Amino acid sequence: MTSLVKAFPVSLPFLRIPESSKHHFQVKVRSLDSGVNSTSTGFSSDSVVVNGRSFTRGKDEAESLFDGGAVEQKEKSVAPLVDDGNERFMRLSSVREKNRGKGAISEDMDVLWDDGYGNKTVKDYLIASKDMIRPDGGPPRWFCPVECGQPLKDSPILLFLPGTDGVGLGLTLHHKALGKVFEVRCLHIPVYDRTPFQGLVKFVEDTLKFEHASSPNKPIYLVGDSFGGCLALAVAARNPQIDLVVVLVNPATSFTRSQIQPLLPVLEAMPDEFHSLVPYLLSGIMGNPLKMAMVDLEDRLPPRAKIEQLSGKLTSLLGYLSVLSEIIPKETLVWKLKLIQTGSSYANSRLHAVKAEVLLLASGQDSMLPSKNEAQRLKKGLQNCQVRYFKDNGHTLLLEEGLSLLTIIKGVGKYRRSRKVDFVRDYVPPSKSEFERVFFKDGRFMQAATGTVMLSTLQDGSIVKGLAGVPTQGPVLLVGYHMLMGIELQSLVGEYLKQKNILLRGIAHPAIFGGRFESSSSEFNFQDWIKVMGGVPVAASNFFKLLSSKSHVLLYPGGAREALHYKGEAHKLIWPEQQEFVRMAAKFGATIVPFGGVGEDDLVELVLDYKDLMNIPILNNYVRDSARSGPRVRDEAKGEVANQQLFIPGLLPKVPGRMYFLFGKPIETTGREDILRNREEAHQLYLQIKSDVQTNIDYLLKKREKDPYRSVFDRMVFRALYPSLQEVPTFDL
């Protein structure tokens, strides 16, 4: 992390915090100037002003976090259509020792870390904004909220460009999460500042150039909210040579088609005494009040208690809306709308010059701007643009209930610390809120439907409930059967993480990372969650680095062919003839755990497989074209496993049964140099692993017939009779 008090080649003046606001809002002072002249070029990097007092610090003390004198100290593996590692990428000579995954984020962060999401709400934003807007006569400046903390080593910088309010606190709900892996700076534009749009562009641009000169190999993130989106695009267009990742949140580039522009003459003519009503009029179109109130709503409450809590939060929120009239007085509102008009025209005229990666977040219930249609336009107009659509959110997306901004960035594969993303080194482990979201909130039905049973085998060969037989010390390579459409992944990875507190890193098909099925209305989907929860695209270097970093790796030798099997192939292993993953595991002394899983036939029925689809006119052309344009990972494979056309089979849901997993006896490869030297020995071990997987499957198919709680209805009755018991029993072992 760079020095908190740093000499910039631009003026970044004092951020004075009123004494009365100390208890509500804290900032880290990053760049200070003793004057307010926006054209000055130098200042002392050793003096800071906090709460109106001047302090002098040595350079060694510049990392202190100021909140009126207090110093804050530094805070201290799901994938599918998971593919195997058996293609030509297993050639050891193609991977260098320097790719051993050193400096990985996962070495400094635990799984299920606290990202703070859900602890802050729009109410905190309004309270902090009221303290932040006290006039000080200064120009725009950067600040870093203390909540962001100190980021991990080599973290890139993230510059937040605010919306119409200009306060710079639009990331209030996301400060703690972003501060872990970004050096966050927020732009504050004082209420009575009248810097023109070109002046703001120059201000941000100068900071951008300075940071790029300091760390030329790191990307710089620009997050632009509404008006800030225009500012971000303008800066990106003027600096195509800088490695930028631009995140646009309902950008105001559509201002000329918005419902707000016609109100500009009305607002100018409105008497001052009526301006206090404007916040209440605008509140209905600025955001979704329900989504704002639901940010910290306890999701596991009974429906009646949840409604009561939501009602109380909405009532409390309405009492703070008057703050909006202080944040944006009449004169400022009129000025900001004219500024947006200028910024929109400026940015739109330069879209062709934007070379940066762009991630656009659009709300479906945005009543202020036509964000959905704008997303379609910008996706076509920008050279490298991905879109995530949030159909139930309003204009103030970052202040509403939904997903953490860091989760979204991770899910679309945009987080990186160098010029190219490293799916092992740059991977940020899932937080507690992400785990609860995917496995308990969004995945609640799946959890209830599958009633997952996890069994493992001890070294003496005895089978026990739970995962006691699976080693904790990595590297561990789990090798098993891929169920239809990867339907087992949520249950498998969720239970593994819950029981062992270890994340499975799955080797996944590259189609998941390619974005070939995306559009301007793509929502945050299952493929995004695969990346959030540890999915890694199939590649020699990735497999190498996962094992070298002692990860628990999930591998399906049958790959997509097994996950998209035909009728009559349920629980059939469709593995390649090659066995190079065995030799790779032996190279690192990994423990191989063969496992079997059953239950797909208790959840869905396959009614249309690949052969059926190819017999249907029109559909067969679509499937054939998709297969032809899609990525292939086994061009040299032989046999059935080489037939990996990607398609969506026709499925019908069943009354849910149950899902079972059995992890076999661990196979140690430490000291097995014979596997590395002798391909025949490696092949024999490969056949043993395959046989063990099939044996586990056969065992489960036989034993589940004796499970009295195989049906979801039987499990529901059991839970109703014994609500205090956490687990539903299964067959006798």
Side-chain angles (χ1 to χ4, degrees):
M1 179 174 166
T2 56
S3 173
L4 296 182
V5 186
K6 182 190 299 182
F8 276 70
V10 295
S11 173
L12 295 171
F14 296 136
L15 177 57
R16 304 175 186 273
I17 308 175
E19 188 71 27
S20 60
S21 71
K22 286 194 300 182
H23 304 294
H24 299 302
F25 180 67
Q26 301 176 328
V27 297
K28 285 189 282 190
V29 182
R30 292 198 170 271
S31 306
L32 305 170
D33 185 17
S34 58
V36 295
N37 182 358
S38 62
T39 62
S40 68
T41 58
F43 55 88
S44 169
S45 65
D46 294 328
S47 71
V48 297
V49 172
V50 183
N51 292 345
R53 296 180 57 195
S54 177
F55 295 84
T56 300
R57 298 288 189 198
K59 294 182 186 287
D60 292 339
E61 298 175 83
E63 291 290 325
S64 299
L65 311 183
F66 294 94
D67 66 328
V71 179
E72 178 181 305
Q73 300 295 328
K74 177 182 177 182
E75 289 183 336
K76 266 251 162 281
S77 291
V78 166
L81 294 167
V82 176
D83 214 327
D84 80 311
N86 281 332
E87 40 134 15
R88 64 181 181 276
F89 71 72
M90 284 300 141
R91 295 169 185 167
L92 303 182
S93 60
S94 68
V95 186
R96 299 180 181 177
E97 289 293 326
K98 69 178 183 180
N99 288 329
R100 284 184 173 272
K102 295 180 179 179
I105 291 177
S106 57
E107 295 177 0
D108 300 313
M109 291 182 69
D110 296 327
V111 293
L112 307 185
W113 56 283
D114 181 15
D115 63 2
Y117 189 72
N119 296 330
K120 296 288 185 178
T121 67
V122 68
K123 180 178 175 181
D124 297 288
Y125 159 79
L126 292 171
I127 293 174
S129 295
K130 187 174 182 179
D131 294 330
M132 188 83 168
I133 61 176
R134 300 178 189 275
D136 62 4
R141 79 276 325 246
W142 298 105
F143 72 92
C144 178
V146 168
E147 291 172 343
C148 290
Q150 187 171 357
L152 298 175
K153 183 180 179 181
D154 297 327
S155 294
I157 190 169
L158 182 149
L159 302 176
F160 175 65
L161 310 178
T164 310
D165 63 312
V167 178
L169 294 174
L171 295 177
T172 295
L173 277 61
H174 313 270
H175 283 159
K176 186 172 182 179
L178 292 173
K180 276 286 189 180
V181 293
F182 288 107
E183 185 178 343
V184 180
R185 294 182 192 169
C186 304
L187 177 62
H188 174 67
I189 306 174
V191 173
Y192 296 102
D193 177 75
R194 295 296 181 263
T195 303
F197 183 77
Q198 289 85 343
L200 293 174
V201 170
K202 183 65 166 58
F203 181 83
V204 176
E205 184 179 57
D206 287 343
T207 304
L208 199 71
K209 290 180 177 179
F210 179 85
E211 290 298 331
H212 176 65
S214 300
S215 303
N217 295 321
K218 286 185 184 180
I220 298 176
Y221 286 72
L222 290 179
V223 178
D225 183 14
S226 189
F227 164 70
C230 298
L231 192 54
L233 286 173
V235 172
R238 289 163 57 102
N239 297 274
Q241 77 285 0
I242 296 180
D243 184 11
L244 296 177
V245 179
V246 178
V247 182
L248 306 176
V249 186
N250 295 322
T253 47
S254 61
F255 181 75
T256 56
R257 306 190 306 279
S258 72
Q259 303 180 44
I260 301 299
Q261 188 185 30
L263 296 178
L264 186 55
V266 177
L267 291 172
E268 289 184 291
M270 181 182 290
D272 292 342
E273 53 268 25
F274 290 107
H275 182 70
S276 59
L277 299 176
V278 172
Y280 297 94
L281 296 175
L282 292 180
S283 63
I285 62 175
M286 286 182 64
N288 187 328
L290 280 175
K291 283 285 187 179
M292 291 180 179
M294 289 171 62
V295 170
D296 60 343
L297 192 67
E298 297 180 38
D299 190 61
R300 300 187 185 186
L301 288 175
R304 182 174 179 179
K306 189 180 294 186
I307 292 174
E308 292 176 354
Q309 189 181 84
L310 181 60
S311 176
K313 290 181 181 296
L314 277 172
T315 303
S316 175
L317 179 61
L318 291 174
Y320 286 91
L321 288 179
S322 60
V323 176
L324 289 174
S325 62
E326 300 179 44
I327 297 175
I328 314 178
K330 175 187 172 182
E331 304 83 10
T332 300
L333 179 59
V334 173
W335 166 259
K336 288 292 179 67
L337 292 179
K338 292 180 178 178
L339 197 64
I340 294 174
Q341 192 171 34
T342 302
S344 175
S345 299
Y346 188 101
N348 281 320
S349 66
R350 292 164 173 79
L351 292 181
H352 64 280
V354 177
K355 309 295 184 184
E357 290 182 62
V358 178
L359 170 61
L360 198 161
L361 312 182
S363 296
Q365 301 298 320
D366 190 344
S367 301
M368 181 174 286
L369 298 170
S371 293
K372 181 179 180 180
N373 293 334
E374 183 66 359
Q376 297 174 353
R377 186 182 76 89
L378 290 178
K379 183 170 177 60
K380 295 177 181 178
L382 294 169
Q383 299 177 32
N384 184 5
C385 180
Q386 276 184 278
V387 176
R388 284 299 176 269
Y389 178 59
F390 300 86
K391 61 181 180 181
D392 297 323
N393 288 87
H395 184 69
T396 54
L397 175 63
L398 295 176
L399 292 172
E400 300 177 15
E401 188 272 340
L403 294 173
S404 163
L405 179 58
L406 179 59
T407 301
I408 299 171
I409 292 173
K410 289 161 54 180
V412 297
K414 293 294 184 186
Y415 183 76
R416 54 189 173 90
R417 297 183 293 172
S418 58
R419 292 188 177 276
K420 186 177 180 181
V421 64
D422 187 321
F423 287 96
V424 177
R425 181 177 178 271
D426 295 337
Y427 176 67
V428 180
S431 66
K432 184 178 179 181
S433 70
E434 290 169 342
F435 174 74
E436 291 180 346
R437 175 67 181 254
V438 71
F439 293 110
F440 294 111
K441 186 177 181 179
D442 295 348
R444 184 181 303 164
F445 172 78
M446 191 65 177
Q447 293 293 317
T450 57
T452 307
V453 175
M454 303 288 277
L455 308 173
S456 61
T457 308
L458 302 179
Q459 286 293 343
D460 62 4
S462 58
I463 297 175
V464 296
K465 294 180 181 178
L467 298 175
V470 179
T472 299
Q473 183 65 39
V476 174
L477 182 61
L478 304 179
V479 183
Y481 165 70
H482 212 348
M483 293 190 198
L484 185 63
M485 289 291 291
I487 199 172
E488 81 281 6
L489 285 164
Q490 186 179 50
S491 299
L492 173 61
V493 178
E495 287 296 322
Y496 199 91
L497 182 54
K498 185 168 67 173
Q499 293 189 31
K500 296 190 72 68
N501 198 36
I502 296 174
L503 180 67
L504 286 178
R505 303 297 307 275
I507 306 296
H509 197 284
I512 293 172
F513 301 84
R516 56 192 287 251
F517 301 113
E518 292 187 1
S519 68
S520 60
S521 58
S522 295
E523 300 182 31
F524 200 84
N525 52 48
F526 182 58
Q527 293 184 0
D528 295 329
W529 280 117
I530 289 171
K531 286 171 271 188
V532 171
M533 298 304 296
V536 178
V538 55
S541 58
N542 289 336
F543 192 41
F544 188 99
K545 284 184 282 188
L546 285 173
L547 292 177
S548 66
S549 61
K550 300 186 183 302
S551 300
H552 285 228
V553 184
L554 178 60
L555 188 68
Y556 291 116
R561 174 61 181 88
E562 197 168 79
L564 299 173
H565 59 249
Y566 306 155
K567 293 177 182 178
E569 292 182 339
H571 307 125
K572 175 186 176 182
L573 298 183
I574 308 173
W575 288 19
E577 298 177 4
Q578 302 177 36
Q579 73 291 336
E580 288 298 338
F581 76 82
V582 174
R583 302 178 71 209
M584 181 69 88
K587 178 176 176 62
F588 291 99
T591 302
I592 300 175
V593 181
F595 74 93
V598 302
E600 63 180 82
D601 53 339
D602 269 357
L603 296 174
V604 295
E605 181 178 356
L606 177 60
V607 293
L608 290 175
D609 62 13
Y610 178 77
K611 297 176 181 178
D612 295 325
L613 292 174
M614 294 305 291
N615 289 327
I616 300 176
I618 301 178
L619 277 181
N620 56 7
N621 290 329
Y622 175 78
V623 173
R624 193 178 292 110
D625 292 342
S626 297
R628 187 182 301 115
S629 61
R632 299 187 64 85
V633 297
R634 280 176 168 158
D635 292 333
E636 296 179 355
K638 300 178 181 179
E640 270 298 304
V641 77
N643 184 18
Q644 284 201 30
Q645 284 84 356
L646 298 183
F647 65 98
I648 300 177
L651 304 175
L652 285 179
K654 288 184 175 181
V655 175
R658 202 167 194 180
M659 197 166 284
Y660 307 83
F661 296 96
L662 172 58
F663 294 84
K665 185 177 178 180
I667 301 172
E668 299 287 346
T669 63
T670 302
R672 295 289 304 273
E673 289 80 5
D674 57 317
I675 299 176
L676 293 174
R677 295 194 304 264
N678 191 323
R679 286 184 174 273
E680 182 58 32
E681 291 291 335
H683 185 66
Q684 290 303 315
L685 181 55
Y686 176 72
L687 295 179
Q688 178 191 338
I689 294 169
K690 184 176 180 180
S691 175
D692 288 350
V693 172
Q694 189 63 61
T695 299
N696 293 336
I697 292 174
D698 295 341
Y699 174 89
L700 293 174
L701 289 174
K702 180 180 179 180
K703 296 291 287 187
R704 73 173 179 176
E705 299 296 331
K706 301 178 181 179
D707 186 356
Y709 301 103
R710 180 177 172 183
S711 169
V712 66
F713 297 119
D714 293 327
R715 295 196 297 276
M716 290 172 63
V717 171
F718 180 88
R719 290 193 179 279
L721 295 176
Y722 306 100
S724 61
L725 297 180
Q726 296 295 321
E727 295 185 4
V728 178
T730 185
F731 51 76
D732 295 328
L733 301 179

